[in-house]
Amino acid sequence: MNYVDHFKSCIDGIKAEGRYRHFATMERIVGRFPKANYYAPNGECKEVTIWCSNDYLGMGQHPKVIQAAKDALDLCGAGAGGTRNISGTTRYHVQLEESVADLHNKEAGLVFSSGYVANEGALSALGKLLPDCVFISDAMNHASMIHGMKSAKAETIVYRHNDMEHLEEILKSIDPARPKIIAFESVYSMDGDIAPIEETCDLADKYNAMTYLDEVHAVGLYGPRGGGVAEERGLMGRIDIIEGTFGKAYGCMGGFITGQRDIIDAIRSFASGFIFTTSLPPSVLAASLASVEHLKTSSVEREKAHANAALFKELLEAAGMPFMRGDSHIVPLVVGEPTCCREVTDMLMKHYNIYVQPINYPTVPRGTERLRLTATAAHSEEDIRFMADVLTQMWSGHQVWSEAVA
């Protein structure tokens, strides 16, 4: 076999399908988010407005967060120096884990290198530690959750997305004495909808199942202290394990879980993704801690983000645009074809200095390719109205659009 030719053919295949992923080289401008410098492949540099960022509250640019990172860097240097077990546990780890435990009113927290690693590590450890465990997983769960459940080598049964009747049907069919974990998300980032958390908890109580809730797209952004949708709805106490990230609304990097002390300690002691990974550096941890603590008391950023999302949806609704009408801050605008989706984003960048990344299969099902749009707390009303106007023109046969797809 010619190995290089084989791998080239794999790439040629996804290029032919129109779903080859191009990375855009960005340089965020401190204090001016969502503005950034875009470096084109031809060497050109221009200022653009980002419309697909997960930094929902602009906290990656907040003075408190930046200063905390600088202070930790000056005090401790650049790296952590090892895994958590081998010289890599700093006081910043301890403080941040105490902070997220307090955020969710849980006994303990555990910080991971990313939200993906948190899900993979926690779910794989849980599935291995519970004898004859079965996962009941929402059909739209993130790849990291699916990876964790597969790594556990435990049985996994998938229920239709947010379908409580189907979930109960599955729970009824399982031996009442068998350990069960219902794994689901609060905000589903590709559709922008929100799970029926209370109803899920009711079924978990009825059938003696643990609950594992991924709140990565909700922490910082929902609830009076940023605890997520479960906090907003007064349901945190009914969730056994809450997983979150510092890489989205908190504007930094890393993931975490919170729950009862013994459960978190078991995951700490058995999750390979935690044990064998070099720990996060002090500067990143300090920045995350500053962000979490700030958003426990400040609601200004949350209110602005939700107001901006509401305005954007209102404008798209008035224009009859084909967006998915979920209850969250995320606005998925459906294009429905991968090549066309890429052409739309290329046009936005070329003609309007707007950066959006196309979302294609396998992230979303074929035929539902989309732009995943986020009006953050940092976007101005002018940014939002301009974006809505541009999209409306493109969808209604604007000249530039016509030339691009001809």
Side-chain angles (χ1 to χ4, degrees):
M1 171 182 278
N2 186 312
Y3 295 106
V4 173
D5 285 350
H6 172 75
F7 291 119
K8 183 179 182 299
S9 71
C10 294
I11 295 299
D12 289 342
I14 60 174
K15 284 182 176 178
E17 293 179 28
R19 59 185 186 90
Y20 180 74
R21 299 185 184 203
H22 300 267
F23 291 167
T25 303
M26 293 286 167
E27 181 180 68
R28 299 210 299 173
I29 304 170
V30 172
R32 296 191 57 213
F33 181 74
K35 306 300 179 184
N37 291 321
Y38 164 65
Y39 292 86
N42 64 4
E44 176 193 3
C45 175
K46 66 176 181 177
E47 185 175 298
V48 300
T49 303
I50 300 175
W51 265 91
C52 55
S53 176
N54 289 335
D55 190 354
Y56 301 128
L57 302 178
M59 291 301 296
Q61 308 282 306
H62 197 284
K64 286 184 182 178
V65 175
I66 294 172
Q67 190 60 52
K70 288 180 178 179
D71 290 345
L73 193 63
D74 288 340
L75 283 170
C76 303
T83 65
R84 288 289 299 273
N85 189 51
I86 304 176
S87 81
T89 295
T90 68
R91 70 183 181 93
Y92 298 103
H93 287 92
V94 176
Q95 290 171 343
L96 186 54
E97 287 169 348
E98 290 174 347
S99 178
V100 293
D102 168 72
L103 175 69
H104 291 146
N105 196 25
K106 300 294 186 185
E107 292 180 353
L110 188 65
V111 169
F112 291 77
S113 56
S114 73
Y116 190 106
V117 176
N119 270 334
E120 192 283 327
L123 287 166
S124 63
L126 290 167
K128 290 173 183 175
L129 290 171
L130 286 170
D132 196 28
C133 174
V134 56
F135 289 108
I136 305 98
S137 172
D138 187 284
M140 293 291 287
N141 276 343
H142 190 263
S144 59
M145 300 176 76
I146 296 168
H147 185 182
M149 289 180 275
K150 284 184 176 179
S151 296
K153 294 183 170 59
E155 182 182 3
T156 300
I157 304 173
V158 177
Y159 66 95
R160 290 186 294 271
H161 179 50
N162 285 345
D163 187 331
M164 294 297 97
E165 289 186 7
H166 192 212
L167 175 58
E168 182 164 24
E169 180 183 316
I170 291 168
L171 288 166
K172 277 182 180 178
S173 70
I174 301 170
D175 183 344
R178 189 177 179 187
K180 298 172 282 292
I181 301 174
I182 302 172
F184 63 114
E185 301 181 38
S186 58
V187 176
Y188 287 87
S189 66
M190 288 303 132
D191 286 3
D193 56 346
I194 296 177
I197 300 175
E198 183 173 12
E199 293 85 345
T200 304
C201 290
D202 289 343
L203 291 175
D205 291 345
K206 183 176 180 180
Y207 294 96
N208 191 29
M210 285 184 66
T211 47
Y212 182 101
L213 177 63
D214 176 316
E215 288 254 39
V216 295
H217 289 277
V219 288
L221 193 54
Y222 294 84
R225 296 202 310 157
V229 178
E231 183 194 27
E232 182 180 67
R233 298 181 179 181
L235 299 168
M236 286 195 301
R238 300 186 65 186
I239 303 293
D240 292 300
I241 299 173
I242 297 176
E243 186 264 352
T245 184
F246 306 114
K248 294 181 171 59
Y250 290 123
C252 299
M253 179 185 176
F256 65 91
I257 57 171
T258 64
Q260 291 184 337
R261 191 174 308 281
D262 288 339
I263 297 174
I264 300 302
D265 197 23
I267 293 170
R268 181 189 70 87
S269 300
F270 287 91
S272 294
F274 174 83
I275 295 169
F276 298 106
T277 299
T278 299
S279 64
L280 290 170
S283 57
V284 171
L285 296 163
S288 297
L289 177 61
S291 187
V292 172
E293 288 299 310
H294 174 79
L295 290 172
K296 284 180 182 178
T297 58
S298 175
S299 60
V300 174
E301 296 85 359
R302 279 188 286 276
E303 291 171 0
K304 181 65 173 174
H306 290 303
N308 281 351
L311 172 61
F312 188 45
K313 288 181 180 182
E314 178 185 321
L315 295 171
L316 294 183
E317 183 73 48
M321 298 295 286
F323 71 98
M324 302 176 75
R325 291 156 177 79
D327 293 328
S328 79
H329 57 287
I330 297 168
V331 182
L333 183 64
V334 178
V335 177
E337 199 280 329
T339 301
C340 184
C341 199
R342 165 59 63 184
E343 288 175 343
V344 170
T345 59
D346 287 348
M347 289 168 52
L348 287 169
M349 179 69 87
K350 180 179 179 180
H351 298 288
Y352 302 103
N353 298 330
I354 291 171
Y355 169 60
V356 181
Q357 185 67 13
I359 306 296
N360 295 328
Y361 176 85
T363 306
V364 296
R366 298 180 193 274
T368 70
E369 291 80 7
R370 66 198 65 174
L371 312 184
R372 179 188 172 278
L373 304 170
T374 53
T376 72
H379 283 83
S380 66
E381 182 175 339
E382 181 182 3
D383 290 331
I384 296 167
R385 292 189 180 278
F386 179 69
M387 182 60 160
D389 287 345
V390 167
L391 291 171
T392 301
Q393 291 173 18
M394 291 173 71
W395 253 256
S396 62
H398 185 270
Q399 183 62 35
V400 175
W401 164 256
S402 301
E403 290 173 358
V405 298

